[in-house]
Amino acid sequence: MVVKTQVNGTGVTGLHVGAKNVRRYFPKNVDTIELQLDHLKIQCGLSPQFWHGEPDIHDRRLCEWLDFKVFHRVNGQRCLRLAMTPSGNNTFSVRSTALDEDVQRPSEINTAA
């Protein structure tokens, strides 16, 4: 599934999963999920609002990872798309699609010069 970062004026505040993804990938009885962020595994709590119009994941460690791994590698983009893939029971791996695009850019720049 594709999720988006949530950003306020000072930095990233979490991930917006989207209502369709919530209905498809998250059982209502789950209040905690595990996220695999590179070699880091964290557990994130899901608020009751997650199923009622606020399909967002907020966690300090997730925000720090996003700031370090994702936002430092892309210039000027505020809202980024990430791939969030189910990888077990209530477990998801998160990977930046922006990093994939960034890997492709140098060859595009070299051929344009």
Side-chain angles (χ1 to χ4, degrees), residues 38-110:
D38 293 331
H39 299 292
L40 175 67
K41 283 187 182 181
I42 62 171
Q43 288 188 348
C44 299
L46 302 176
S47 72
Q49 293 81 15
F50 185 77
W51 290 272
H52 302 287
E54 294 180 30
D56 307 315
I57 300 171
H58 300 281
D59 185 276
R60 174 188 50 80
R61 297 160 299 174
L62 171 62
C63 294
E64 289 173 5
W65 180 82
L66 288 167
D67 276 338
F68 181 73
K69 286 290 191 173
V70 179
F71 283 102
H72 286 20
R73 296 186 186 184
V74 293
N75 295 324
Q77 290 184 298
R78 300 303 294 159
C79 181
L80 300 174
R81 293 181 183 193
L82 297 115
M84 188 167 158
T85 309
S87 58
N89 192 22
N90 303 321
T91 303
F92 301 86
S93 63
V94 178
R95 183 176 56 81
S96 172
T97 58
L99 296 179
D100 294 341
E101 293 168 6
D102 198 37
V103 169
Q104 295 172 4
R105 284 189 193 127
S107 63
E108 295 171 10
I109 292 169
N110 290 338

